[in-house]
PDB file of all heavy atoms in Angstrom:
ATOM      1  N   ARG A   1     136.019 100.236 -24.223  1.00  0.00           N
ATOM      2  CA  ARG A   1     136.742 101.441 -24.631  1.00  0.00           C
ATOM      3  C   ARG A   1     135.847 102.662 -24.636  1.00  0.00           C
ATOM      4  O   ARG A   1     136.109 103.646 -25.317  1.00  0.00           O
ATOM      5  CB  ARG A   1     137.358 101.216 -26.019  1.00  0.00           C
ATOM      6  CG  ARG A   1     138.463 100.163 -26.005  1.00  0.00           C
ATOM      7  CD  ARG A   1     138.856  99.765 -27.403  1.00  0.00           C
ATOM      8  NE  ARG A   1     139.907  98.725 -27.354  1.00  0.00           N
ATOM      9  CZ  ARG A   1     140.185  97.898 -28.351  1.00  0.00           C
ATOM     10  NH1 ARG A   1     139.491  97.980 -29.472  1.00  0.00           N
ATOM     11  NH2 ARG A   1     141.136  96.998 -28.230  1.00  0.00           N
ATOM     12  N   GLN A   2     134.723 102.557 -23.895  1.00  0.00           N
ATOM     13  CA  GLN A   2     133.788 103.682 -23.730  1.00  0.00           C
ATOM     14  C   GLN A   2     133.172 104.110 -25.057  1.00  0.00           C
ATOM     15  O   GLN A   2     132.963 105.312 -25.298  1.00  0.00           O
ATOM     16  CB  GLN A   2     134.487 104.864 -23.065  1.00  0.00           C
ATOM     17  CG  GLN A   2     135.193 104.538 -21.752  1.00  0.00           C
ATOM     18  CD  GLN A   2     134.253 103.941 -20.727  1.00  0.00           C
ATOM     19  OE1 GLN A   2     133.177 104.441 -20.533  1.00  0.00           O
ATOM     20  NE2 GLN A   2     134.666 102.868 -20.086  1.00  0.00           N
ATOM     21  N   ASP A   3     132.861 103.151 -25.909  1.00  0.00           N
ATOM     22  CA  ASP A   3     132.203 103.440 -27.178  1.00  0.00           C
ATOM     23  C   ASP A   3     130.694 103.448 -26.953  1.00  0.00           C
ATOM     24  O   ASP A   3     130.037 102.394 -26.954  1.00  0.00           O
ATOM     25  CB  ASP A   3     132.593 102.374 -28.215  1.00  0.00           C
ATOM     26  CG  ASP A   3     132.082 102.698 -29.616  1.00  0.00           C
ATOM     27  OD1 ASP A   3     131.130 103.500 -29.716  1.00  0.00           O
ATOM     28  OD2 ASP A   3     132.617 102.148 -30.587  1.00  0.00           O
ATOM     29  N   GLY A   4     130.138 104.628 -26.738  1.00  0.00           N
ATOM     30  CA  GLY A   4     128.717 104.737 -26.455  1.00  0.00           C
ATOM     31  C   GLY A   4     127.851 104.308 -27.625  1.00  0.00           C
ATOM     32  O   GLY A   4     126.758 103.766 -27.439  1.00  0.00           O
ATOM     33  N   ARG A   5     128.329 104.529 -28.857  1.00  0.00           N
ATOM     34  CA  ARG A   5     127.554 104.139 -30.023  1.00  0.00           C
ATOM     35  C   ARG A   5     127.385 102.619 -30.081  1.00  0.00           C
ATOM     36  O   ARG A   5     126.308 102.120 -30.420  1.00  0.00           O
ATOM     37  CB  ARG A   5     128.231 104.639 -31.296  1.00  0.00           C
ATOM     38  CG  ARG A   5     127.398 104.417 -32.556  1.00  0.00           C
ATOM     39  CD  ARG A   5     128.043 105.067 -33.751  1.00  0.00           C
ATOM     40  NE  ARG A   5     129.343 104.462 -34.052  1.00  0.00           N
ATOM     41  CZ  ARG A   5     130.095 104.825 -35.091  1.00  0.00           C
ATOM     42  NH1 ARG A   5     129.702 105.807 -35.876  1.00  0.00           N
ATOM     43  NH2 ARG A   5     131.262 104.236 -35.312  1.00  0.00           N
ATOM     44  N   THR A   6     128.440 101.890 -29.743  1.00  0.00           N
ATOM     45  CA  THR A   6     128.347 100.430 -29.729  1.00  0.00           C
ATOM     46  C   THR A   6     127.364  99.961 -28.666  1.00  0.00           C
ATOM     47  O   THR A   6     126.573  99.044 -28.896  1.00  0.00           O
ATOM     48  CB  THR A   6     129.728  99.811 -29.458  1.00  0.00           C
ATOM     49  OG1 THR A   6     130.604 100.127 -30.543  1.00  0.00           O
ATOM     50  CG2 THR A   6     129.638  98.303 -29.314  1.00  0.00           C
ATOM     51  N   ARG A   7     127.374 100.605 -27.497  1.00  0.00           N
ATOM     52  CA  ARG A   7     126.433 100.233 -26.442  1.00  0.00           C
ATOM     53  C   ARG A   7     125.000 100.428 -26.900  1.00  0.00           C
ATOM     54  O   ARG A   7     124.143  99.550 -26.708  1.00  0.00           O
ATOM     55  CB  ARG A   7     126.709 101.056 -25.186  1.00  0.00           C
ATOM     56  CG  ARG A   7     125.812 100.679 -24.006  1.00  0.00           C
ATOM     57  CD  ARG A   7     126.037 101.563 -22.799  1.00  0.00           C
ATOM     58  NE  ARG A   7     125.613 102.937 -23.052  1.00  0.00           N
ATOM     59  CZ  ARG A   7     126.430 103.988 -23.082  1.00  0.00           C
ATOM     60  NH1 ARG A   7     127.717 103.815 -22.895  1.00  0.00           N
ATOM     61  NH2 ARG A   7     125.970 105.195 -23.307  1.00  0.00           N
ATOM     62  N   ARG A   8     124.737 101.563 -27.513  1.00  0.00           N
ATOM     63  CA  ARG A   8     123.371 101.833 -27.986  1.00  0.00           C
ATOM     64  C   ARG A   8     122.969 100.872 -29.105  1.00  0.00           C
ATOM     65  O   ARG A   8     121.824 100.404 -29.160  1.00  0.00           O
ATOM     66  CB  ARG A   8     123.274 103.288 -28.460  1.00  0.00           C
ATOM     67  CG  ARG A   8     123.366 104.314 -27.335  1.00  0.00           C
ATOM     68  CD  ARG A   8     123.053 105.707 -27.835  1.00  0.00           C
ATOM     69  NE  ARG A   8     124.048 106.181 -28.804  1.00  0.00           N
ATOM     70  CZ  ARG A   8     125.162 106.832 -28.473  1.00  0.00           C
ATOM     71  NH1 ARG A   8     125.434 107.068 -27.192  1.00  0.00           N
ATOM     72  NH2 ARG A   8     126.008 107.243 -29.396  1.00  0.00           N
ATOM     73  N   ALA A   9     123.926 100.575 -29.994  1.00  0.00           N
ATOM     74  CA  ALA A   9     123.617  99.657 -31.093  1.00  0.00           C
ATOM     75  C   ALA A   9     123.334  98.259 -30.571  1.00  0.00           C
ATOM     76  O   ALA A   9     122.401  97.579 -31.032  1.00  0.00           O
ATOM     77  CB  ALA A   9     124.788  99.622 -32.081  1.00  0.00           C
ATOM     78  N   ALA A  10     124.131  97.807 -29.591  1.00  0.00           N
ATOM     79  CA  ALA A  10     123.912  96.472 -29.018  1.00  0.00           C
ATOM     80  C   ALA A  10     122.544  96.395 -28.354  1.00  0.00           C
ATOM     81  O   ALA A  10     121.812  95.405 -28.514  1.00  0.00           O
ATOM     82  CB  ALA A  10     125.013  96.156 -28.012  1.00  0.00           C
ATOM     83  N   TRP A  11     122.192  97.438 -27.604  1.00  0.00           N
ATOM     84  CA  TRP A  11     120.887  97.460 -26.935  1.00  0.00           C
ATOM     85  C   TRP A  11     119.764  97.441 -27.956  1.00  0.00           C
ATOM     86  O   TRP A  11     118.756  96.753 -27.790  1.00  0.00           O
ATOM     87  CB  TRP A  11     120.797  98.706 -26.060  1.00  0.00           C
ATOM     88  CG  TRP A  11     119.771  98.624 -24.984  1.00  0.00           C
ATOM     89  CD1 TRP A  11     119.918  98.038 -23.764  1.00  0.00           C
ATOM     90  CD2 TRP A  11     118.445  99.163 -25.017  1.00  0.00           C
ATOM     91  NE1 TRP A  11     118.756  98.172 -23.032  1.00  0.00           N
ATOM     92  CE2 TRP A  11     117.840  98.849 -23.780  1.00  0.00           C
ATOM     93  CE3 TRP A  11     117.718  99.868 -25.959  1.00  0.00           C
ATOM     94  CZ2 TRP A  11     116.541  99.221 -23.466  1.00  0.00           C
ATOM     95  CZ3 TRP A  11     116.413 100.245 -25.660  1.00  0.00           C
ATOM     96  CH2 TRP A  11     115.841  99.923 -24.424  1.00  0.00           C
ATOM     97  N   ALA A  12     119.944  98.202 -29.049  1.00  0.00           N
ATOM     98  CA  ALA A  12     118.906  98.267 -30.086  1.00  0.00           C
ATOM     99  C   ALA A  12     118.746  96.930 -30.797  1.00  0.00           C
ATOM    100  O   ALA A  12     117.623  96.481 -31.057  1.00  0.00           O
ATOM    101  CB  ALA A  12     119.255  99.362 -31.094  1.00  0.00           C
ATOM    102  N   VAL A  13     119.865  96.257 -31.109  1.00  0.00           N
ATOM    103  CA  VAL A  13     119.791  94.978 -31.815  1.00  0.00           C
ATOM    104  C   VAL A  13     119.145  93.913 -30.932  1.00  0.00           C
ATOM    105  O   VAL A  13     118.268  93.155 -31.374  1.00  0.00           O
ATOM    106  CB  VAL A  13     121.199  94.525 -32.274  1.00  0.00           C
ATOM    107  CG1 VAL A  13     121.164  93.100 -32.800  1.00  0.00           C
ATOM    108  CG2 VAL A  13     121.733  95.462 -33.346  1.00  0.00           C
ATOM    109  N   VAL A  14     119.570  93.854 -29.671  1.00  0.00           N
ATOM    110  CA  VAL A  14     118.980  92.872 -28.755  1.00  0.00           C
ATOM    111  C   VAL A  14     117.496  93.171 -28.552  1.00  0.00           C
ATOM    112  O   VAL A  14     116.666  92.253 -28.511  1.00  0.00           O
ATOM    113  CB  VAL A  14     119.735  92.871 -27.410  1.00  0.00           C
ATOM    114  CG1 VAL A  14     119.009  92.014 -26.381  1.00  0.00           C
ATOM    115  CG2 VAL A  14     121.151  92.357 -27.605  1.00  0.00           C
ATOM    116  N   GLY A  15     117.147  94.443 -28.437  1.00  0.00           N
ATOM    117  CA  GLY A  15     115.738  94.805 -28.294  1.00  0.00           C
ATOM    118  C   GLY A  15     114.916  94.414 -29.510  1.00  0.00           C
ATOM    119  O   GLY A  15     113.790  93.920 -29.381  1.00  0.00           O
ATOM    120  N   ALA A  16     115.498  94.617 -30.702  1.00  0.00           N
ATOM    121  CA  ALA A  16     114.782  94.243 -31.931  1.00  0.00           C
ATOM    122  C   ALA A  16     114.594  92.730 -32.012  1.00  0.00           C
ATOM    123  O   ALA A  16     113.517  92.250 -32.409  1.00  0.00           O
ATOM    124  CB  ALA A  16     115.557  94.751 -33.144  1.00  0.00           C
ATOM    125  N   CYS A  17     115.627  91.976 -31.633  1.00  0.00           N
ATOM    126  CA  CYS A  17     115.504  90.513 -31.626  1.00  0.00           C
ATOM    127  C   CYS A  17     114.405  90.073 -30.657  1.00  0.00           C
ATOM    128  O   CYS A  17     113.581  89.202 -30.979  1.00  0.00           O
ATOM    129  CB  CYS A  17     116.829  89.878 -31.223  1.00  0.00           C
ATOM    130  SG  CYS A  17     118.134  89.994 -32.461  1.00  0.00           S
ATOM    131  N   GLY A  18     114.389  90.684 -29.473  1.00  0.00           N
ATOM    132  CA  GLY A  18     113.373  90.342 -28.483  1.00  0.00           C
ATOM    133  C   GLY A  18     111.976  90.666 -28.975  1.00  0.00           C
ATOM    134  O   GLY A  18     111.045  89.866 -28.825  1.00  0.00           O
ATOM    135  N   ALA A  19     111.823  91.847 -29.588  1.00  0.00           N
ATOM    136  CA  ALA A  19     110.508  92.236 -30.100  1.00  0.00           C
ATOM    137  C   ALA A  19     110.035  91.265 -31.175  1.00  0.00           C
ATOM    138  O   ALA A  19     108.853  90.876 -31.217  1.00  0.00           O
ATOM    139  CB  ALA A  19     110.569  93.657 -30.655  1.00  0.00           C
ATOM    140  N   ALA A  20     110.952  90.853 -32.057  1.00  0.00           N
ATOM    141  CA  ALA A  20     110.587  89.912 -33.113  1.00  0.00           C
ATOM    142  C   ALA A  20     110.138  88.575 -32.532  1.00  0.00           C
ATOM    143  O   ALA A  20     109.161  87.966 -32.999  1.00  0.00           O
ATOM    144  CB  ALA A  20     111.769  89.713 -34.058  1.00  0.00           C
ATOM    145  N   LEU A  21     110.849  88.109 -31.488  1.00  0.00           N
ATOM    146  CA  LEU A  21     110.488  86.833 -30.870  1.00  0.00           C
ATOM    147  C   LEU A  21     109.143  86.926 -30.151  1.00  0.00           C
ATOM    148  O   LEU A  21     108.350  85.976 -30.173  1.00  0.00           O
ATOM    149  CB  LEU A  21     111.586  86.400 -29.898  1.00  0.00           C
ATOM    150  CG  LEU A  21     112.899  85.945 -30.549  1.00  0.00           C
ATOM    151  CD1 LEU A  21     113.991  85.789 -29.501  1.00  0.00           C
ATOM    152  CD2 LEU A  21     112.698  84.634 -31.295  1.00  0.00           C
ATOM    153  N   VAL A  22     108.868  88.052 -29.509  1.00  0.00           N
ATOM    154  CA  VAL A  22     107.586  88.228 -28.821  1.00  0.00           C
ATOM    155  C   VAL A  22     106.445  88.244 -29.839  1.00  0.00           C
ATOM    156  O   VAL A  22     105.401  87.595 -29.646  1.00  0.00           O
ATOM    157  CB  VAL A  22     107.592  89.526 -27.990  1.00  0.00           C
ATOM    158  CG1 VAL A  22     106.191  89.811 -27.448  1.00  0.00           C
ATOM    159  CG2 VAL A  22     108.578  89.396 -26.825  1.00  0.00           C
ATOM    160  N   ILE A  23     106.634  88.972 -30.925  1.00  0.00           N
ATOM    161  CA  ILE A  23     105.592  89.032 -31.959  1.00  0.00           C
ATOM    162  C   ILE A  23     105.363  87.651 -32.572  1.00  0.00           C
ATOM    163  O   ILE A  23     104.219  87.217 -32.770  1.00  0.00           O
ATOM    164  CB  ILE A  23     105.981  90.052 -33.039  1.00  0.00           C
ATOM    165  CG1 ILE A  23     105.976  91.471 -32.450  1.00  0.00           C
ATOM    166  CG2 ILE A  23     105.032  89.972 -34.229  1.00  0.00           C
ATOM    167  CD1 ILE A  23     106.538  92.524 -33.381  1.00  0.00           C
ATOM    168  N   THR A  24     106.447  86.951 -32.839  1.00  0.00           N
ATOM    169  CA  THR A  24     106.317  85.601 -33.405  1.00  0.00           C
ATOM    170  C   THR A  24     105.588  84.678 -32.438  1.00  0.00           C
ATOM    171  O   THR A  24     104.732  83.877 -32.851  1.00  0.00           O
ATOM    172  CB  THR A  24     107.710  85.029 -33.723  1.00  0.00           C
ATOM    173  OG1 THR A  24     108.387  85.894 -34.638  1.00  0.00           O
ATOM    174  CG2 THR A  24     107.597  83.643 -34.342  1.00  0.00           C
ATOM    175  N   SER A  25     105.903  84.795 -31.141  1.00  0.00           N
ATOM    176  CA  SER A  25     105.233  83.969 -30.140  1.00  0.00           C
ATOM    177  C   SER A  25     103.747  84.300 -30.046  1.00  0.00           C
ATOM    178  O   SER A  25     102.912  83.412 -29.835  1.00  0.00           O
ATOM    179  CB  SER A  25     105.891  84.162 -28.770  1.00  0.00           C
ATOM    180  OG  SER A  25     107.235  83.754 -28.803  1.00  0.00           O
ATOM    181  N   ALA A  26     103.402  85.577 -30.220  1.00  0.00           N
ATOM    182  CA  ALA A  26     101.991  85.976 -30.174  1.00  0.00           C
ATOM    183  C   ALA A  26     101.223  85.421 -31.364  1.00  0.00           C
ATOM    184  O   ALA A  26     100.054  85.040 -31.245  1.00  0.00           O
ATOM    185  CB  ALA A  26     101.886  87.499 -30.131  1.00  0.00           C
ATOM    186  N   LEU A  27     101.894  85.353 -32.512  1.00  0.00           N
ATOM    187  CA  LEU A  27     101.232  84.870 -33.721  1.00  0.00           C
ATOM    188  C   LEU A  27     101.189  83.345 -33.804  1.00  0.00           C
ATOM    189  O   LEU A  27     100.289  82.779 -34.431  1.00  0.00           O
ATOM    190  CB  LEU A  27     101.942  85.436 -34.965  1.00  0.00           C
ATOM    191  CG  LEU A  27     101.890  86.959 -35.129  1.00  0.00           C
ATOM    192  CD1 LEU A  27     102.729  87.384 -36.330  1.00  0.00           C
ATOM    193  CD2 LEU A  27     100.448  87.435 -35.283  1.00  0.00           C
ATOM    194  N   ALA A  28     102.175  82.689 -33.198  1.00  0.00           N
ATOM    195  CA  ALA A  28     102.257  81.228 -33.312  1.00  0.00           C
ATOM    196  C   ALA A  28     102.559  80.605 -31.950  1.00  0.00           C
ATOM    197  O   ALA A  28     103.436  79.747 -31.828  1.00  0.00           O
ATOM    198  CB  ALA A  28     103.326  80.842 -34.332  1.00  0.00           C
ATOM    199  N   GLY A  29     101.832  81.049 -30.923  1.00  0.00           N
ATOM    200  CA  GLY A  29     102.095  80.561 -29.572  1.00  0.00           C
ATOM    201  C   GLY A  29     101.841  79.073 -29.422  1.00  0.00           C
ATOM    202  O   GLY A  29     102.607  78.360 -28.765  1.00  0.00           O
ATOM    203  N   GLY A  30     100.737  78.579 -30.034  1.00  0.00           N
ATOM    204  CA  GLY A  30     100.444  77.151 -29.941  1.00  0.00           C
ATOM    205  C   GLY A  30     101.537  76.313 -30.546  1.00  0.00           C
ATOM    206  O   GLY A  30     101.947  75.286 -29.979  1.00  0.00           O
ATOM    207  N   LEU A  31     102.059  76.743 -31.699  1.00  0.00           N
ATOM    208  CA  LEU A  31     103.159  76.017 -32.340  1.00  0.00           C
ATOM    209  C   LEU A  31     104.406  76.052 -31.476  1.00  0.00           C
ATOM    210  O   LEU A  31     105.118  75.046 -31.348  1.00  0.00           O
ATOM    211  CB  LEU A  31     103.433  76.635 -33.711  1.00  0.00           C
ATOM    212  CG  LEU A  31     104.633  76.066 -34.478  1.00  0.00           C
ATOM    213  CD1 LEU A  31     104.428  74.586 -34.778  1.00  0.00           C
ATOM    214  CD2 LEU A  31     104.873  76.856 -35.768  1.00  0.00           C
ATOM    215  N   ALA A  32     104.681  77.220 -30.864  1.00  0.00           N
ATOM    216  CA  ALA A  32     105.867  77.345 -30.017  1.00  0.00           C
ATOM    217  C   ALA A  32     105.803  76.376 -28.839  1.00  0.00           C
ATOM    218  O   ALA A  32     106.788  75.675 -28.534  1.00  0.00           O
ATOM    219  CB  ALA A  32     106.002  78.782 -29.506  1.00  0.00           C
ATOM    220  N   PHE A  33     104.653  76.296 -28.165  1.00  0.00           N
ATOM    221  CA  PHE A  33     104.525  75.363 -27.046  1.00  0.00           C
ATOM    222  C   PHE A  33     104.566  73.912 -27.527  1.00  0.00           C
ATOM    223  O   PHE A  33     105.098  73.037 -26.837  1.00  0.00           O
ATOM    224  CB  PHE A  33     103.218  75.628 -26.282  1.00  0.00           C
ATOM    225  CG  PHE A  33     103.398  76.477 -25.064  1.00  0.00           C
ATOM    226  CD1 PHE A  33     103.391  77.866 -25.156  1.00  0.00           C
ATOM    227  CD2 PHE A  33     103.606  75.901 -23.823  1.00  0.00           C
ATOM    228  CE1 PHE A  33     103.570  78.658 -24.032  1.00  0.00           C
ATOM    229  CE2 PHE A  33     103.783  76.679 -22.690  1.00  0.00           C
ATOM    230  CZ  PHE A  33     103.768  78.072 -22.793  1.00  0.00           C
ATOM    231  N   ARG A  34     104.013  73.657 -28.708  1.00  0.00           N
ATOM    232  CA  ARG A  34     104.035  72.291 -29.228  1.00  0.00           C
ATOM    233  C   ARG A  34     105.467  71.861 -29.551  1.00  0.00           C
ATOM    234  O   ARG A  34     105.866  70.727 -29.269  1.00  0.00           O
ATOM    235  CB  ARG A  34     103.161  72.196 -30.468  1.00  0.00           C
ATOM    236  CG  ARG A  34     102.984  70.767 -30.982  1.00  0.00           C
ATOM    237  CD  ARG A  34     101.775  70.615 -31.884  1.00  0.00           C
ATOM    238  NE  ARG A  34     101.827  71.494 -33.043  1.00  0.00           N
ATOM    239  CZ  ARG A  34     101.009  72.522 -33.263  1.00  0.00           C
ATOM    240  NH1 ARG A  34     100.067  72.828 -32.370  1.00  0.00           N
ATOM    241  NH2 ARG A  34     101.113  73.261 -34.342  1.00  0.00           N
ATOM    242  N   LEU A  35     106.255  72.765 -30.126  1.00  0.00           N
ATOM    243  CA  LEU A  35     107.648  72.444 -30.426  1.00  0.00           C
ATOM    244  C   LEU A  35     108.461  72.261 -29.145  1.00  0.00           C
ATOM    245  O   LEU A  35     109.369  71.429 -29.078  1.00  0.00           O
ATOM    246  CB  LEU A  35     108.271  73.549 -31.282  1.00  0.00           C
ATOM    247  CG  LEU A  35     107.741  73.670 -32.719  1.00  0.00           C
ATOM    248  CD1 LEU A  35     108.352  74.891 -33.395  1.00  0.00           C
ATOM    249  CD2 LEU A  35     108.058  72.402 -33.512  1.00  0.00           C
ATOM    250  N   ALA A  36     108.153  73.061 -28.123  1.00  0.00           N
ATOM    251  CA  ALA A  36     108.924  73.007 -26.881  1.00  0.00           C
ATOM    252  C   ALA A  36     108.568  71.804 -26.018  1.00  0.00           C
ATOM    253  O   ALA A  36     109.439  71.234 -25.353  1.00  0.00           O
ATOM    254  CB  ALA A  36     108.722  74.292 -26.086  1.00  0.00           C
ATOM    255  N   GLY A  37     107.268  71.403 -26.013  1.00  0.00           N
ATOM    256  CA  GLY A  37     106.879  70.338 -25.090  1.00  0.00           C
ATOM    257  C   GLY A  37     106.000  69.248 -25.657  1.00  0.00           C
ATOM    258  O   GLY A  37     105.712  68.278 -24.973  1.00  0.00           O
ATOM    259  N   GLY A  38     105.549  69.426 -26.892  1.00  0.00           N
ATOM    260  CA  GLY A  38     104.686  68.409 -27.471  1.00  0.00           C
ATOM    261  C   GLY A  38     103.247  68.885 -27.593  1.00  0.00           C
ATOM    262  O   GLY A  38     102.856  69.948 -27.087  1.00  0.00           O
ATOM    263  N   GLN A  39     102.436  68.060 -28.245  1.00  0.00           N
ATOM    264  CA  GLN A  39     101.055  68.404 -28.538  1.00  0.00           C
ATOM    265  C   GLN A  39     100.238  68.675 -27.276  1.00  0.00           C
ATOM    266  O   GLN A  39      99.319  69.492 -27.278  1.00  0.00           O
ATOM    267  CB  GLN A  39     100.399  67.282 -29.346  1.00  0.00           C
ATOM    268  CG  GLN A  39      98.961  67.551 -29.754  1.00  0.00           C
ATOM    269  CD  GLN A  39      98.829  68.775 -30.643  1.00  0.00           C
ATOM    270  OE1 GLN A  39      99.660  69.012 -31.521  1.00  0.00           O
ATOM    271  NE2 GLN A  39      97.793  69.582 -30.399  1.00  0.00           N
ATOM    272  N   ASP A  40     100.565  68.015 -26.171  1.00  0.00           N
ATOM    273  CA  ASP A  40      99.785  68.164 -24.943  1.00  0.00           C
ATOM    274  C   ASP A  40      99.796  69.595 -24.408  1.00  0.00           C
ATOM    275  O   ASP A  40      98.923  69.970 -23.612  1.00  0.00           O
ATOM    276  CB  ASP A  40     100.308  67.217 -23.861  1.00  0.00           C
ATOM    277  CG  ASP A  40     100.057  65.755 -24.207  1.00  0.00           C
ATOM    278  OD1 ASP A  40      99.211  65.505 -25.091  1.00  0.00           O
ATOM    279  OD2 ASP A  40     100.705  64.882 -23.610  1.00  0.00           O
ATOM    280  N   TYR A  41     100.800  70.385 -24.814  1.00  0.00           N
ATOM    281  CA  TYR A  41     100.945  71.735 -24.263  1.00  0.00           C
ATOM    282  C   TYR A  41     100.547  72.826 -25.250  1.00  0.00           C
ATOM    283  O   TYR A  41     100.678  74.018 -24.947  1.00  0.00           O
ATOM    284  CB  TYR A  41     102.396  71.968 -23.819  1.00  0.00           C
ATOM    285  CG  TYR A  41     102.845  71.008 -22.742  1.00  0.00           C
ATOM    286  CD1 TYR A  41     103.571  69.863 -23.072  1.00  0.00           C
ATOM    287  CD2 TYR A  41     102.507  71.217 -21.417  1.00  0.00           C
ATOM    288  CE1 TYR A  41     103.969  68.970 -22.088  1.00  0.00           C
ATOM    289  CE2 TYR A  41     102.901  70.328 -20.419  1.00  0.00           C
ATOM    290  CZ  TYR A  41     103.634  69.208 -20.771  1.00  0.00           C
ATOM    291  OH  TYR A  41     104.020  68.317 -19.801  1.00  0.00           O
ATOM    292  N   ALA A  42     100.029  72.434 -26.414  1.00  0.00           N
ATOM    293  CA  ALA A  42      99.691  73.422 -27.439  1.00  0.00           C
ATOM    294  C   ALA A  42      98.620  74.398 -26.961  1.00  0.00           C
ATOM    295  O   ALA A  42      98.599  75.562 -27.365  1.00  0.00           O
ATOM    296  CB  ALA A  42      99.239  72.725 -28.714  1.00  0.00           C
ATOM    297  N   ALA A  43      97.725  73.945 -26.069  1.00  0.00           N
ATOM    298  CA  ALA A  43      96.637  74.807 -25.594  1.00  0.00           C
ATOM    299  C   ALA A  43      97.144  75.986 -24.769  1.00  0.00           C
ATOM    300  O   ALA A  43      96.402  76.950 -24.540  1.00  0.00           O
ATOM    301  CB  ALA A  43      95.658  73.982 -24.763  1.00  0.00           C
ATOM    302  N   LEU A  44      98.389  75.931 -24.317  1.00  0.00           N
ATOM    303  CA  LEU A  44      98.954  77.019 -23.517  1.00  0.00           C
ATOM    304  C   LEU A  44      99.560  78.122 -24.380  1.00  0.00           C
ATOM    305  O   LEU A  44     100.224  79.019 -23.868  1.00  0.00           O
ATOM    306  CB  LEU A  44     100.021  76.474 -22.563  1.00  0.00           C
ATOM    307  CG  LEU A  44      99.539  75.455 -21.521  1.00  0.00           C
ATOM    308  CD1 LEU A  44     100.725  74.872 -20.771  1.00  0.00           C
ATOM    309  CD2 LEU A  44      98.558  76.098 -20.553  1.00  0.00           C
ATOM    310  N   GLY A  45      99.326  78.050 -25.683  1.00  0.00           N
ATOM    311  CA  GLY A  45      99.951  78.985 -26.607  1.00  0.00           C
ATOM    312  C   GLY A  45      99.683  80.446 -26.305  1.00  0.00           C
ATOM    313  O   GLY A  45     100.503  81.307 -26.632  1.00  0.00           O
ATOM    314  N   ARG A  46      98.548  80.759 -25.663  1.00  0.00           N
ATOM    315  CA  ARG A  46      98.238  82.167 -25.369  1.00  0.00           C
ATOM    316  C   ARG A  46      99.232  82.785 -24.392  1.00  0.00           C
ATOM    317  O   ARG A  46      99.338  84.018 -24.288  1.00  0.00           O
ATOM    318  CB  ARG A  46      96.823  82.271 -24.816  1.00  0.00           C
ATOM    319  CG  ARG A  46      96.600  81.587 -23.476  1.00  0.00           C
ATOM    320  CD  ARG A  46      95.119  81.641 -23.085  1.00  0.00           C
ATOM    321  NE  ARG A  46      94.841  81.074 -21.767  1.00  0.00           N
ATOM    322  CZ  ARG A  46      94.703  79.783 -21.529  1.00  0.00           C
ATOM    323  NH1 ARG A  46      94.832  78.902 -22.525  1.00  0.00           N
ATOM    324  NH2 ARG A  46      94.434  79.336 -20.311  1.00  0.00           N
TER     325      ARG A  46
END
């Protein structure tokens, strides 16, 4: 319905979610790889 405010809000929320996930991955990359693939891949956390 051409609601520009909703478009901007959606972009901002998705961007904030992405930024939070990137920061979390930077702080706990080894844990993220370990959860995704197991202990053998924890060294790839960087």
Side-chain angles (χ1 to χ4, degrees):
R1 293 169 181 159
Q2 307 303 314
D3 187 340
R5 187 174 64 178
T6 295
R7 183 184 67 245
R8 291 189 295 271
W11 200 83
V13 171
V14 171
C17 289
L21 289 169
V22 172
I23 293 172
T24 302
S25 298
L27 296 175
L31 175 62
F33 262 86
R34 187 160 58 247
L35 291 174
Q39 182 61 40
D40 292 343
Y41 299 97
L44 298 173
R46 65 185 184 279

